[in-house]
Amino acid sequence: MKWKSRYLRLILMACCVLAACAQVAPQAAGVHRVGSLRLLGEQRIALNQPFRDTVIGGLSGIDYDATTDTWVAQSDDRSEINPARFYVLRLQYDLQGFHRLAVDDVRLFRQSDGSLYPGAAERGKRAGDIPDLESIRIDPRDASIWVTSEGSRHFGMSPWVRQADRDGRFLAQLAGDAMFDVHPGQKRGSRNNLSFEGLSFSVDGRDLWLAMEGPLYQDGKRPTHKHGAPVRISRISRAGTMLAQYAYLLDPIRFAAGGRYADNGVSEILAVDQQRLLALERSGVQGSDGVFDFHIRLYEMDLSQASDIREVASLKTAPGVIPAAKRLVLDFDTLGLDRVDNLEGVAWGPKLANGHDSLVFISDNNFLPTQVTQVLVFEVLPP
């Protein structure tokens, strides 16, 4: 009968609409597709550039605020040169290139009592944690600021994740898991300067991803030229509850250092979808002149088949742990730039005119004349 055929056609049309919505919903929810990257351009900030009674440098994280079309980048200055702070930046780029980088504002972070964070020289004179800020993210819900600190093994300060308002005022601190606590004098917990280096919101904005730079003491040795090392990638709720945790295997250190210092670690992470994250592996190798060269690789890690290691006390003794799969997206040594510096921050930027994602990286120059504060912008080419 005609009414039945019309009814069936309406059902089929509705099913097609629902199927189409299901296909586009993940992209609308913030899911990204990463095949390869195309460099759009580079800008730099001059060494020790002054700005409103501060010195710009040590920019170890970056994130984009779509509501204001600005970027935030925090300094890992441990309140030694100036108090703990973040800068507001403006970047102008398109498919034809990276045209302009400007610093718009600086804002100081404050502790829960409203005071500025102290430096090591003020230890004993002013209460509080000496900050070592390594990652910064803008909350997709309310545009507040989230930052990580690596703590200080020397001062017995464990790493933390804190939330601040847009003026840097303290809002909250996540409850930390005891496995990450520092234990001075013991080979247990976080190593000094190798803890909470990476932070990212999940693509739906409900949870956070947290990355260690290097392995916990109980998980084994640091990377060498012969072997890599496992680091823990944790999914945590906004209340600090551990929801899942995975092992990610760092590459071995790529180049010999002639007996001088060399390392490799995760310097930042960024959510791609519910199961994949970008992982920035940063290797620093000190030359005979004492100057560091940096060798950076960007990987896409896939956690879909990885073991949940929340209850694993030591990765050295746990049999059968399946680490995250990893796929090389870009070896920065192949870009042909005169220098790729100490890249420590990465963030999604606004969509480009062709609908592709943009990706922005920033380097921490450690306030050294042998390094640069460098911002690189890429077009993300889908697979």
Side-chain angles (χ1 to χ4, degrees), residues 54 83 92 129 167 186 188 223 255 279 282 286 288 304 327:
T54 71
Q92 293 181 3
D129 293 331
D167 291 320
Q186 303 178 47
R188 182 162 61 95
F255 295 93
R282 180 270 324 275
Q286 190 178 30
S288 58
S304 59
R327 174 183 69 88

Side-chain angles (χ1 to χ4, degrees), residues 11-25:
I11 291 176
L12 289 172
M13 289 173 64
C15 290
C16 290
V17 170
L18 289 172
C21 289
Q23 290 176 357
V24 301

